């Protein structure tokens, strides 16, 4: 730690008293989730740790808190070090009379949207309404299977540029609505939330940070995780009703069929839990894992290093290379090991598909579009080439920019977390 950082951190003595920021707590199995919603910082603590937070919040001194915990549990705790850890998390506003620096909280999307404005989205009637609408749509499709659209319905216009641009506009609109559903339901539970572009392997995605939802009741958590999928299914179900009452030759019918496909296309992606989709967070919550992706990745790396050592007889095991799952509770250990297999196989399949199909196809389409801008082409040809360059080229440029931004953000975070000399 640098001298400046050390000076900024007041000494914690046995007589010290601390003032905590507003914290929220929720019991989770044998632990407690304690967090500060403003900074979206959370930590899992044993019961004794949660008890210490309460006692310190009541104004007890470090020594008095230590005595109370000893009397309650029969164990000895170093509360001075515990306070220092809380301060490092940004949970402590003041130690004795000296305030601690408070980091600027991350900006929330749509800050004007208050929980009271959208509290109705957490009402139990909402999932019932979605289920009824979906059931009606399924019954209609079973009775009239001809209404189910195929890929040709996406080609609703003879002009490729119109199909491409309208499809991109509709797709991104649905994607924005999907993320807004996460943001709104999380905000209803009091979680700020922030929407931004992100990457998942080779995919450019919109993502909504609703990490504060960990402190909400399970029903609210699952509602926030599944709200995006529920929105897509609701839109698709409503479009099935439109198809059922419109003339198949009408423009409304053709556009509705194309929109129905665009609403359903993102749903298979949600099953790719190795990219941390909505379904991934549901699985993480139901299995009771703290960090299913991080622990699964650590276990996969551990197994990979063991496999390499098996191929090199006599190789020594480096210090700290034990099974990272050994420290996890038994129920988490099983889930992490299964997930690590899904993570490795799914990631390998995705990257192989990108190398064999997606990348060559993108290169071919972009090369054709560039050639289409050469002199001698027709106006329609120029329009098609420009549309491909704008949509496909723009998505790839956005992916690169977003990937670089996230890389720089991680580097800065690591530099801040790394102790100075």
């Amino acid at each position: 730690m640098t001298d400046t950082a050390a000076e900024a951190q007041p000494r914690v003595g046995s007589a010290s008293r601390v003032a905590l920021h507003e914290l929220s707590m929720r019991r989770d199995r044998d632990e407690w989730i304690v967090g500060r919603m403003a900074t979206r910082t959370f930590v899992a603590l044993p019961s004794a740790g949660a008890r210490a937070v309460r006692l310190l919040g009541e104004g007890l001194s470090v020594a008095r808190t230590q005595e109370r915990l000893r009397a309650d549990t029969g164990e000895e705790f170093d509360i001075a070090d515990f306070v220092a850890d809380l301060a490092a998390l940004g949970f402590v506003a003041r130690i004795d009379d000296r305030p601690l620096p408070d980091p600027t909280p991350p900006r929330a999307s749509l800050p004007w949207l208050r929980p009271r404005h959208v509290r109705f989205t957490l009402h139990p009637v909402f999932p019932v309404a979605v289920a009824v609408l979906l059931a009606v749509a399924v019954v209609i499709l079973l009775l009239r299977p001809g209404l189910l659209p195929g890929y040709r319905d996406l080609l609703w216009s003879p002009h490729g540029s119109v199909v491409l641009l309208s499809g991109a506009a509709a797709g991104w609109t649905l994607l924005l609505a999907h993320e807004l559903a996460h943001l709104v339901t999380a905000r209803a539970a009091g979680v700020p939330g922030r929407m931004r572009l992100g990457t998942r392997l080779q995919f450019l995605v919109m993502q909504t940070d609703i990490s504060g939802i960990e402190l909400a009741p399970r029903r609210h958590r699952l509602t926030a995780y599944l709200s995006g999928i529920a929105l897509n299914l609701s839109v698709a179900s409503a479009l099935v009703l439109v198809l059922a009452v419109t003339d198949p030759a009408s423009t409304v019918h053709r556009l509705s069929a194309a929109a129905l496909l665009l609403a359903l296309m993102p749903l298979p992606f949600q099953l790719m839990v190795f990219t941390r989709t909505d379904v991934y967070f549901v699985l993480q919550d139901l299995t009771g894992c703290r960090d299913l992706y991080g622990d699964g990745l650590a276990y996969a790396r551990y197994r990979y290093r063991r496999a390499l050592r098996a191929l090199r007889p006599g190789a020594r095991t480096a210090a700290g290379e034990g099974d990272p799952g050994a420290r996890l509770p038994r129920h988490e250990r099983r889930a992490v090991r299964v997930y690590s297999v899904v993570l490795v196989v799914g990631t390998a399949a995705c990257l192989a598909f990108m190398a064999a199909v997606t990348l060559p196809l993108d290169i071919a389409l972009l090369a054709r579009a560039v050639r289409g801008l050469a002199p001698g082409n027709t106006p329609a040809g120029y329009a098609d080439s420009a549309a491909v360059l704008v949509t496909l080229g723009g998505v790839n440029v956005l992916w690169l920019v977003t990937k670089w931004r996230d890389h720089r953000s991680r580097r800065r975070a690591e530099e801040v977390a790394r102790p100075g000399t």
Side-chain angles (χ1 to χ4, degrees):
M1 182 176 295
T2 62
D3 293 340
T4 303
E7 291 173 2
Q9 176 73 46
R11 291 186 177 277
V12 181
S14 59
S16 295
R17 298 175 186 270
V18 303
L20 301 176
H21 289 288
E22 182 179 355
L23 301 178
S24 300
M25 305 177 69
R26 173 180 67 83
R27 190 179 186 91
D28 187 28
R29 298 178 186 255
D30 297 330
E31 296 180 316
W32 288 80
I33 307 298
V34 181
R36 185 182 173 195
M37 195 70 72
T39 58
R40 299 171 212 164
T41 308
F42 308 93
V43 66
L45 296 176
S47 297
R51 173 69 169 155
V53 170
R54 293 194 189 94
L55 294 174
L56 292 168
E58 292 171 3
L60 272 67
S61 68
V62 167
R64 184 59 180 149
T65 299
Q66 195 160 312
E67 291 172 4
R68 289 283 294 273
L69 284 176
R70 188 190 308 117
D72 292 344
T73 66
E75 299 180 33
E76 193 71 39
F77 298 93
D78 191 336
I79 301 302
D81 281 351
F82 181 69
V83 169
D85 292 338
L86 294 179
L89 290 168
F91 290 177
V92 179
R94 191 175 62 254
I95 297 178
D96 294 324
D97 295 328
R98 184 171 177 180
L100 270 61
D102 192 16
T104 303
R107 293 179 58 186
S109 299
L110 306 182
W112 48 267
L113 188 66
R114 303 298 181 187
R116 66 177 184 274
H117 298 153
V118 289
R119 193 83 69 187
F120 66 92
T121 60
L122 295 178
H123 197 282
V125 75
F126 260 69
V128 176
V130 171
V132 170
L133 183 60
L134 179 61
V136 171
V138 170
V139 170
I140 290 174
L141 290 176
L142 290 175
L143 296 176
R144 299 175 60 184
L147 292 177
L148 191 64
Y151 76 94
R152 294 183 183 277
D153 289 287
L154 291 173
L155 307 174
W156 60 273
S157 171
H159 302 290
S161 57
V162 174
V163 171
L164 193 59
L165 290 173
S166 61
W172 279 96
T173 300
L174 284 168
L175 183 58
L176 180 61
H178 178 106
E179 295 305 320
L180 276 173
H182 291 307
L183 181 71
V184 166
T185 49
R187 188 66 52 84
V191 178
R194 185 185 180 191
M195 297 170 55
R196 62 185 300 185
L197 283 174
T199 59
R200 291 290 185 267
L201 294 177
Q202 69 265 41
F203 305 106
L204 178 69
V205 298
M206 283 284 294
Q207 56 189 23
T208 305
D209 176 10
I210 55 171
S211 52
I213 203 69
E214 286 93 339
L215 293 168
R218 168 164 284 182
R219 184 175 70 83
H220 293 176
R221 299 197 305 272
L222 295 180
T223 299
Y225 296 146
L226 293 171
S227 57
I229 294 176
L231 182 132
N232 282 73
L233 290 175
S234 298
V235 170
S237 300
L239 288 169
V240 169
L241 300 183
V242 174
L243 292 177
V245 298
T246 55
D247 183 358
S250 66
T251 302
V252 171
H253 189 96
R254 293 199 305 272
L255 290 175
S256 297
L260 172 57
L261 283 176
L262 291 173
L264 293 175
M265 282 170 60
L267 296 183
F269 173 77
Q270 297 297 336
L271 299 178
M272 298 166 62
V273 293
F274 52 90
T275 61
R276 287 170 289 173
T277 59
D278 300 344
V279 176
Y280 159 81
F281 288 103
V282 173
L283 289 176
Q284 180 172 255
D285 194 286
L286 294 179
T287 56
C289 294
R290 294 279 174 258
D291 183 8
L292 186 57
Y293 179 85
D295 292 335
L297 184 60
Y299 183 73
R301 287 173 173 167
Y302 161 72
R303 298 298 300 184
Y304 172 72
R305 289 192 296 266
R306 282 199 61 181
L308 285 183
R309 285 196 300 271
L311 297 175
R312 294 181 298 177
R316 294 183 178 180
T317 301
E321 283 197 11
D323 183 355
R327 59 180 174 79
L328 299 174
R330 180 174 298 177
H331 71 277
E332 286 192 48
R333 200 179 310 147
R334 289 193 297 265
V336 164
R337 289 176 177 175
V338 172
Y339 178 77
S340 68
V341 176
V342 176
L343 175 62
V344 171
V345 174
T347 300
C350 253
L351 295 179
F353 185 84
M354 179 187 69
V357 179
T358 308
L359 193 57
L361 180 61
D362 285 357
I363 293 173
L365 289 174
L366 289 171
R368 183 186 302 175
V370 171
R371 288 195 301 269
L373 296 177
N377 203 348
T378 63
Y382 285 130
D384 283 343
S385 295
V388 170
L389 288 174
V390 169
T391 54
L392 186 57
V395 166
N396 282 281
V397 169
L398 269 178
W399 185 91
L400 289 171
V401 171
T402 304
K403 193 72 174 177
W404 175 247
R405 181 206 65 194
D406 292 344
H407 173 72
R408 291 187 62 186
S409 297
R410 286 193 296 269
R411 287 283 299 275
R412 284 197 296 267
E414 290 171 0
E415 289 173 358
V416 171
R418 189 182 301 123
T421 56

